[in-house]
Amino acid sequence: MLKRRIIPVQLLVNGRLVKTRQFADWRDVGDPVKSSAVYNSQYADELIFLNIARDRASVQPLAELMQKVSQECFMPLAVGGGIHTLQDAAYLIQNGADKVVINSAAYRDREAISRIADRFGTQAVVVGIDAKREGAGYAAVSASASRHEPVPLDEHIRACEAAGAGEFLIQSVDQDGTMEGFDLPLLRLACAVAKVPVIGCGGSGHYNHLKEAFLETEVSALACGSLFNFSDSNPLRAKAFLSNYGLQFKVV
């Protein structure tokens, strides 16, 4: 099996780092460039940046941020929020991003996934899927969980993978910011359908939550926000703890 990854996820509003709870009620938690430099010193495997501002008219602010962050960090950088076209993706990659995260656009124009994958390779395309509990299953949502997407979650995963997605970022709206643990049934569902790596996100509150998700699902990576923002936890300590349970990480 590939080595597992711990990935800090950084949510952005107007150039500031914020944290949400169930995709709402965000609060400012700092400067993304300074935070990225700290994560670099703590040997994070990657960083994910998601612009959650409602007015995503341009990817230029993201590109400007990537230029600054790439001077401080020496790890893969994934960035998403308002990416709709090959041109958007190319602009971000040319300015320091290694991967782009496509979310809402994946429902409207799956050919955009193919165009980006054809140009930069499938490893550069992460499809973000926000999922919310609905009855006995899950609904796919977008636009900061304000829009219900009329496509089954498993069908969307298969279609995006066929279009060229090289990885999935599965976020639980219900668990986001709660620090009560990952939605393990959701992650199991995504991993059972996807043939490419799955990143789980939403709910990490302590290292045992990471252990449970890694040992009880097939996720390749876990993305964490509140765990690192609101405790003295960090990626280096997390990997040291998890290594005690036979989980392998990149040696630093």
Side-chain angles (χ1 to χ4, degrees):
M1 176 179 283
L2 294 174
K3 288 183 170 60
R4 308 298 182 97
R5 290 167 289 152
I6 300 293
I7 307 175
V9 59
Q10 308 212 74
L11 307 180
L12 304 166
V13 172
N14 300 325
R16 293 291 294 177
L17 177 61
V18 304
K19 190 65 196 78
T20 56
R21 183 180 175 90
Q22 297 179 327
F23 282 42
D25 302 325
W26 59 264
R27 52 175 164 160
D28 190 298
V29 292
D31 177 82
V33 178
K34 292 179 181 178
S35 178
S36 300
V38 171
Y39 285 133
N40 185 71
S41 70
Q42 295 168 344
Y43 301 106
D45 294 305
E46 300 179 20
L47 290 180
I48 295 176
F49 298 85
L50 300 176
N51 178 19
I52 63 170
R54 295 302 175 95
D55 54 338
R56 305 169 184 167
S58 169
V59 296
Q60 183 174 349
L62 281 173
E64 293 173 353
L65 176 61
M66 287 303 98
Q67 290 177 351
K68 296 175 182 177
V69 170
S70 61
Q71 295 176 3
E72 302 288 339
C73 294
F74 305 96
M75 68 187 81
L77 306 175
V79 59
I83 300 172
H84 299 288
T85 66
L86 169 62
Q87 290 71 28
D88 290 336
Y91 186 54
L92 290 167
I93 290 172
Q94 289 163 3
N95 282 278
D98 298 284
K99 306 177 183 181
V100 292
V101 182
I102 310 295
N103 192 313
S104 296
Y107 297 101
R108 292 344 131 212
D109 180 19
R110 289 202 182 99
E111 287 301 312
I113 298 173
S114 301
R115 289 189 286 270
I116 298 168
D118 289 345
R119 173 79 175 273
F120 297 104
T122 58
Q123 82 290 337
V125 185
V126 181
V127 169
I129 300 178
D130 304 328
K132 194 170 185 178
R133 295 187 196 106
E134 186 174 81
Y138 296 91
V141 295
S142 63
S144 298
S146 64
R147 180 187 297 138
H148 185 289
E149 296 294 345
V151 58
L153 188 62
D154 57 345
E155 181 180 318
H156 184 56
I157 291 173
R158 290 188 183 96
C160 290
E161 188 171 318
E167 197 165 22
F168 288 98
L169 172 64
I170 307 295
Q171 299 198 75
S172 168
V173 176
D174 303 285
Q175 296 302 107
D176 172 58
T178 65
M179 301 183 74
E180 295 175 353
F182 293 93
D183 189 327
L184 301 184
L186 171 62
L187 298 184
R188 291 190 192 102
L189 170 62
C191 291
V193 177
K195 295 181 175 62
V196 297
V198 170
I199 305 168
C201 185
S204 60
H206 52 70
Y207 297 151
N208 278 318
H209 290 150
L210 305 182
K211 180 189 75 173
E212 291 167 359
F214 276 132
L215 293 180
E216 298 181 29
T217 78
E218 296 298 320
V219 291
S220 297
L222 292 171
C224 308
S226 296
L227 175 66
F228 298 143
N229 286 314
F230 304 129
S231 74
D232 61 356
S233 304
N234 64 56
L236 188 59
R237 290 179 181 173
K239 287 191 278 188
F241 173 86
L242 294 167
S243 296
N244 294 323
Y245 297 91
L247 295 164
Q248 297 185 346
F249 296 89
K250 182 174 66 176
V251 177
V252 295

